[in-house]
Amino acid sequence: MDYEFPKEFDLIVVGTGVVESILSAAASRVGKRVLQIDENDYYGGQWASFSLESIIKSKHHKKDYGGNESETNLLRFGNDLVSLKNIAHKFHMTSNNTLEEETDKIENEEQPKENKWTEENLLKLSRKFNIDLYPKLQYARGDFVELLISSNIARYCEYRSVSRILIWFNNRLESLPCSRSDVFANTKVSVVEKRMLMKLLTSLNDKEKHVQNYENKTFKEFLTDKKLTPNLIHYVLYGISSSSDDTSCEDGIEKARRFLNSLGRFGNTPFLFSLYGSGEIPQAFCRLSAVFGGTFALGQQIQGFSISDDKFKSVTLQSQTVEAEKLVLNIENLPARFIKSDKLEYISRCILITDRSVLDSEKEHLSLIFYPPTDGKSFTTVIEMGFLTGTCPNNLYLVHLIAKQNTSPQEDFQHVIDKLFASHVEETSQEKPSILWSYYFSMPETNDIILSDDLPNNIFVCPGPEIDLDYDTSVDKAKLLFEKMYPDLEFLPRAPDPEEIIIGDDNEEEESTDINEEDHDKVINVEQEDKENVISAEQEDKVNVISAEQEDKVDQQ
Amino acid sequence: MASRKKTLLKVIILGDSSVGKTSLMNQYVNRKFSNQYKATIGADFLTKELTVDDRTVTMQIWDTAGQERFQSLGVAFYRGADCCVLVFDVTAPNTFKSLDSWRDEFLIQASPREPENFPFVLLGNKVDLEPRAISAKRAQQWCQSKNNIPYFETSAKEGLNVEQAFLAIAKNALAQQNSTVDLYNEFPDQIKLTNTQKSGGNGDSCAC
């Protein structure tokens, strides 16, 4: 608090969501001086995870943006358009105190008498919850996982693989047969169907061949023409390619291939999830940025920024003005005047705490559930997280629902909730999980937002989460922006392993060799490749990092 | 390793900027010291293997990477810590005053299962410098008031007491792991993405 920021940076990043944090890491990594700030006192913005208490308290949008800009010539950050809407939360069981907030109109008021969970004891466990505003999975062989590995950022996170994939079919939940052994173990599929399915899955690899003649057709038409049975079409269309009826053939095949290619790398399914929630991901990139000299300040009061000669010039914090060549900001922080779109698409979101799994089984802790579109309702993705995901206490489940918004989050999910969860009214449905708490909101889709032409060309705008299951679109976006910002610089080259960096010796490079030899048998990380790279560190505010793959210079200051 | 469970201890170092966190780590692991202060850069975490009571343990010591300067360490930093090392500068009273808030911050963010028994170790660093502002007695009193935190006076510059302090840190972390049921393994079998796993087989892939 007593510290001042330097007066000048190469790059100021406002916001700590995934895309802007990737850019921050990438810029710091190639030696740019980066200041990353956030008005929130937590990382992640719309990509953050919250404790139970903090998600309830959080307003997710702060202030009134009808600013009086003329006074100071400062443009204020933020706009009214891009924020969470329709927020409604509720505890669904009797509470010891009557402070229950009722902001939605969900029914199911009656309580099962013997329910041991109360509002009070859920709140006691508040910090055991890591509730993602927007949960994301990662394809085991997707661009994002490859980036985490190639850049060495993977060391800041731990993962779970999704333990099973379920699909709603014939009015019940079924396992999705996705791997060879699943297909053969599946009793719902006839032998003939098994052969058909295997043949199709194997042949999907040859995309070019398929797409011919299907340029303007849907994936569903393609599958129908392949003479697949309705069973199989259901599995492949809604499950393996998580597509809708109107998904194009090309997209459907691409999605199915990504799914199939990611099988067999980690665990039984193609998906990974970051332990403790998706909010860890932006923090991992921020950590790398910090390790390479990035300056971080959360909970900042930011007055605004200034533009002169059509260029971004500086950001004014509470008591200090900081200049930079470039500004990266999250779309949430962009002043409304730079947004051309006046209407946004929304993603419906619902988060539930439940008392058991939708489909009990001994070891399942992370289930991905596809609920195909029905009667004009959107395709719904459900992610159920158990204790081992590090996102909820033992014996409870955290359930996330995601769909393109049609009407409102409550209406969009009512049919799914009716099918999967016990309504308290009909107490007979013992098998189904009871809902203990629910949280609904609408998340703006900002990936395709149109920006105004007079946005200065040294300002770069990062979108929030989009509807895809994974981060690959966000990585693409970050890469694209980075290329615009620094066309000649490499995007997130491999960061040296910690043991490759030795900081702060005066003049004895040889000695560092000695020490390495002395500690020769030291096992650094059981899982990690051993590297005996000797790093020299020089004085004068310089840390020279020499790694096997590249020789970079990271000049501090 | 005797048990199949590998003994990896995650230790995090907290304290105000420029109390010598990075220097202590660096002195302990690399036996290096730089006299010239610079804000932490390039310091991520360092790993050292050591033997504690006939057990071989790998200690991973995490630096704040400078994110402490504006109170901006994210919760991810605190995940799975087995021991928290608090550091202050014996010549700078403010860094001593901050200890309470660092300790509280740790307990809130890391939310360990048994906060009252979680192992902290306090290091009063820079004892090679004059004038001294915080006496050993005062530091010890603070430690006593916090459930008897072990206290060491160190000099990262001269390597004084550094080895001993980290040995105590390892011991405390280990005791913690042994006493609480599988603290480290609260979430067993988590996946680490590393290069070596890249070559992993396509075992169950149906596309082949």
Side-chain angles (χ1 to χ4, degrees), chain A residues 244-488:
Chain A
S244 292
D245 294 356
D246 57 357
T247 305
S248 75
C249 182
E250 195 176 356
D251 288 355
I253 289 180
E254 186 55 45
K255 288 169 89 174
R257 290 182 63 203
R258 273 211 296 178
F259 183 104
L260 296 168
N261 284 338
S262 287
L263 277 169
R265 189 178 198 177
F266 308 104
N268 298 323
T269 71
F271 297 104
L272 291 172
F273 176 71
S274 49
L275 190 62
Y276 306 113
S278 305
E280 302 289 292
I281 295 295
Q283 292 182 59
F285 285 93
C286 291
R287 167 95 189 167
L288 187 89
S289 181
V291 166
F292 283 90
T295 303
F296 282 79
L298 300 179
Q300 291 298 304
Q301 283 186 27
I302 312 171
Q303 295 194 42
F305 64 103
S306 68
I307 290 176
S308 71
D309 301 332
D310 293 328
K311 289 271 185 195
F312 158 76
K313 206 163 171 291
S314 63
V315 170
T316 302
L317 298 148
Q318 192 177 8
S319 59
Q320 207 191 339
T321 294
V322 184
E323 291 185 11
E325 271 170 24
K326 294 180 170 65
L327 174 70
V328 162
L329 46 69
N330 186 286
I331 186 83
E332 276 183 283
N333 286 307
L334 188 67
R337 67 150 76 168
F338 294 122
I339 300 177
K340 222 179 201 171
S341 318
D342 51 2
K343 216 167 151 269
L344 294 179
E345 300 276 306
Y346 285 87
I347 301 166
S348 279
R349 285 278 292 114
C350 169
I351 306 168
L352 306 171
I353 295 172
T354 67
D355 61 352
R356 66 192 296 174
S357 171
V358 287
L359 194 63
D360 271 339
S361 109
E362 239 172 81
K363 55 183 180 197
E364 305 302 349
H365 51 257
L366 181 52
S367 309
L368 170 63
I369 302 151
F370 295 122
Y371 200 103
T374 47
D375 306 331
K377 302 282 191 185
S378 310
F379 186 99
T380 301
T381 305
V382 183
I383 303 174
E384 182 191 73
M385 305 172 182
F387 167 68
L388 287 177
T389 59
T391 61
C392 73
N394 214 348
N395 299 320
L396 289 174
Y397 288 84
L398 198 57
V399 183
H400 290 273
L401 291 88
I402 305 164
K404 249 190 171 15
Q405 181 161 312
N406 278 334
T407 49
S408 73
Q410 279 88 348
E411 285 181 27
D412 289 344
F413 295 129
Q414 196 57 53
H415 66 296
V416 180
I417 288 175
D418 287 345
K419 293 289 186 190
L420 295 182
F421 302 98
S423 126
H424 289 296
V425 185
E426 39 166 312
E427 284 192 28
T428 44
S429 51
Q430 295 293 326
E431 304 278 291
K432 293 181 178 176
S434 301
I435 296 172
L436 306 177
W437 174 80
S438 66
Y439 190 88
Y440 288 90
F441 61 98
S442 307
M443 168 83 81
E445 252 279 23
T446 51
N447 212 41
D448 299 320
I449 213 163
I450 302 164
L451 303 177
S452 105
D453 301 327
D454 58 2
L455 180 74
N457 66 5
N458 60 345
I459 296 183
F460 303 86
V461 182
C462 302
E466 29 56 61
I467 193 139
D468 295 354
L469 269 176
D470 64 321
Y471 292 100
D472 289 7
T473 312
S474 305
V475 174
D476 288 348
K477 184 76 190 176
K479 270 186 190 158
L480 215 73
L481 289 171
F482 186 80
E483 266 164 36
K484 271 198 211 164
M485 293 164 62
Y486 303 111
D488 302 325

Side-chain angles (χ1 to χ4, degrees), chain B residues 2-194:
Chain B
S3 61
R4 289 191 62 212
K5 167 177 80 175
K6 65 175 194 284
T7 311
L8 176 69
L9 300 174
K10 179 177 174 180
V11 172
I12 65 175
I13 303 199
L14 290 179
D16 283 357
S17 295
S18 77
V19 294
K21 298 183 293 295
T22 311
S23 297
L24 281 162
M25 278 172 63
N26 205 29
Q27 175 60 256
Y28 176 58
V29 178
N30 297 321
R31 284 166 230 169
K32 298 264 164 182
F33 179 79
S34 165
N35 222 340
Q36 190 152 340
Y37 175 72
K38 58 180 169 284
T40 299
I41 177 174
D44 197 348
F45 57 87
L46 293 174
T47 322
K48 176 141 173 153
E49 189 160 288
L50 71 165
T51 307
V52 183
D53 303 333
D54 297 330
R55 274 178 82 180
T56 308
V57 297
T58 305
M59 187 154 60
Q60 209 176 56
I61 310 162
W62 286 72
D63 198 355
T64 53
Q67 282 175 304
E68 83 285 11
R69 189 153 321 146
F70 299 99
Q71 287 78 41
S72 302
L73 281 163
V75 62
F77 176 71
Y78 298 91
R79 302 276 186 215
D82 296 299
C83 180
C84 175
V85 181
L86 299 171
V87 186
F88 73 100
D89 173 349
V90 295
T91 66
N94 284 339
T95 66
F96 181 73
K97 282 188 201 132
S98 304
L99 290 174
D100 275 311
S101 62
W102 282 118
R103 183 175 169 277
D104 292 347
E105 175 78 0
F106 177 86
L107 291 175
I108 290 169
Q109 298 278 12
S111 52
R113 222 180 268 178
E114 298 175 57
E116 63 285 0
N117 292 325
F118 189 86
F120 288 92
V121 172
L122 179 66
L123 307 184
N125 192 33
K126 303 195 188 178
V127 290
D128 54 285
L129 292 188
E130 292 289 341
R132 176 106 182 199
I134 305 294
S135 68
K137 196 175 160 206
R138 213 172 136 199
Q140 272 155 357
Q141 272 167 359
W142 185 84
C143 287
Q144 271 165 22
S145 74
K146 307 291 177 206
N147 218 354
N148 289 319
I149 295 177
Y151 175 59
F152 291 86
E153 302 215 316
T154 57
S155 161
K157 184 178 181 183
E158 284 162 13
L160 183 72
N161 246 348
V162 174
E163 194 84 25
Q164 292 88 328
F166 276 94
L167 187 64
I169 288 161
K171 277 187 178 171
N172 279 279
L174 210 53
Q176 163 78 2
Q177 272 201 348
N178 293 339
S179 68
T180 59
V181 198
D182 251 358
L183 183 93
Y184 176 69
N185 279 337
E186 184 170 21
F187 300 113
D189 308 323
Q190 60 278 59
I191 296 170
K192 285 296 251 177
L193 306 181
T194 57

Side-chain angles (χ1 to χ4, degrees), chain A residues 87-346:
Chain A
I87 301 174
H89 93 91
K90 174 174 153 177
F91 286 94
H92 290 247
M93 62 287 182
T94 40
S95 75
N96 296 345
N97 46 41
T98 46
L99 284 173
E100 194 166 303
E101 273 190 58
E102 300 238 356
T103 37
D104 61 25
K105 1 178 248 283
I106 302 286
E107 279 128 44
N108 312 342
E109 299 295 9
E110 284 185 38
Q111 309 300 323
K113 300 280 176 295
E114 64 283 5
N115 195 338
K116 66 190 170 98
W117 292 106
T118 61
E119 176 177 341
E120 203 176 29
N121 58 29
L122 274 190
L123 283 172
K124 253 184 210 152
L125 295 167
S126 169
R127 288 202 64 89
K128 298 278 179 197
F129 289 98
N130 287 302
I131 304 174
D132 294 341
L133 277 187
Y134 206 90
K136 285 277 184 183
L137 300 176
Q138 307 169 24
Y139 281 98
R141 269 180 241 277
D143 293 348
F144 187 73
V145 166
E146 297 303 344
L147 176 69
L148 288 177
I149 294 173
S150 68
S151 63
N152 233 339
I153 290 170
R155 64 186 175 217
Y156 303 129
C157 282
E158 289 164 327
Y159 300 86
R160 284 271 173 230
S161 58
V162 169
S163 36
R164 64 175 171 185
I165 304 179
L166 302 172
I167 186 164
W168 184 257
F169 190 36
N170 290 337
N171 215 25
R172 51 183 284 172
L173 281 175
E174 289 187 8
S175 300
L176 177 74
C178 48
S179 68
R180 183 191 288 266
S181 55
D182 285 355
V183 172
F184 286 101
N186 192 301
T187 53
K188 305 281 185 325
V189 184
S190 75
V191 177
V192 177
E193 285 178 319
K194 280 176 185 170
R195 288 181 47 199
M196 256 184 197
L197 182 59
M198 285 310 304
K199 202 176 151 206
L200 176 82
L201 296 183
T202 309
S203 73
L204 280 178
N205 268 331
D206 194 355
K207 180 176 155 195
E208 306 308 321
K209 199 177 87 193
H210 297 299
V211 179
Q212 282 169 20
N213 310 326
Y214 282 92
E215 277 93 355
N216 296 314
K217 293 191 177 166
T218 64
F219 190 45
K220 191 176 188 179
E221 287 171 306
F222 168 81
L223 295 173
T224 314
D225 287 357
K226 286 273 168 189
K227 305 222 163 35
L228 294 193
T229 59
N231 264 355
L232 296 184
I233 291 180
H234 195 89
Y235 288 146
V236 176
L237 180 64
Y238 304 128
I240 289 173
S241 89
S242 54
S243 295
S244 292
D245 294 356
D246 57 357
T247 305
S248 75
C249 182
E250 195 176 356
D251 288 355
I253 289 180
E254 186 55 45
K255 288 169 89 174
R257 290 182 63 203
R258 273 211 296 178
F259 183 104
L260 296 168
N261 284 338
S262 287
L263 277 169
R265 189 178 198 177
F266 308 104
N268 298 323
T269 71
F271 297 104
L272 291 172
F273 176 71
S274 49
L275 190 62
Y276 306 113
S278 305
E280 302 289 292
I281 295 295
Q283 292 182 59
F285 285 93
C286 291
R287 167 95 189 167
L288 187 89
S289 181
V291 166
F292 283 90
T295 303
F296 282 79
L298 300 179
Q300 291 298 304
Q301 283 186 27
I302 312 171
Q303 295 194 42
F305 64 103
S306 68
I307 290 176
S308 71
D309 301 332
D310 293 328
K311 289 271 185 195
F312 158 76
K313 206 163 171 291
S314 63
V315 170
T316 302
L317 298 148
Q318 192 177 8
S319 59
Q320 207 191 339
T321 294
V322 184
E323 291 185 11
E325 271 170 24
K326 294 180 170 65
L327 174 70
V328 162
L329 46 69
N330 186 286
I331 186 83
E332 276 183 283
N333 286 307
L334 188 67
R337 67 150 76 168
F338 294 122
I339 300 177
K340 222 179 201 171
S341 318
D342 51 2
K343 216 167 151 269
L344 294 179
E345 300 276 306
Y346 285 87

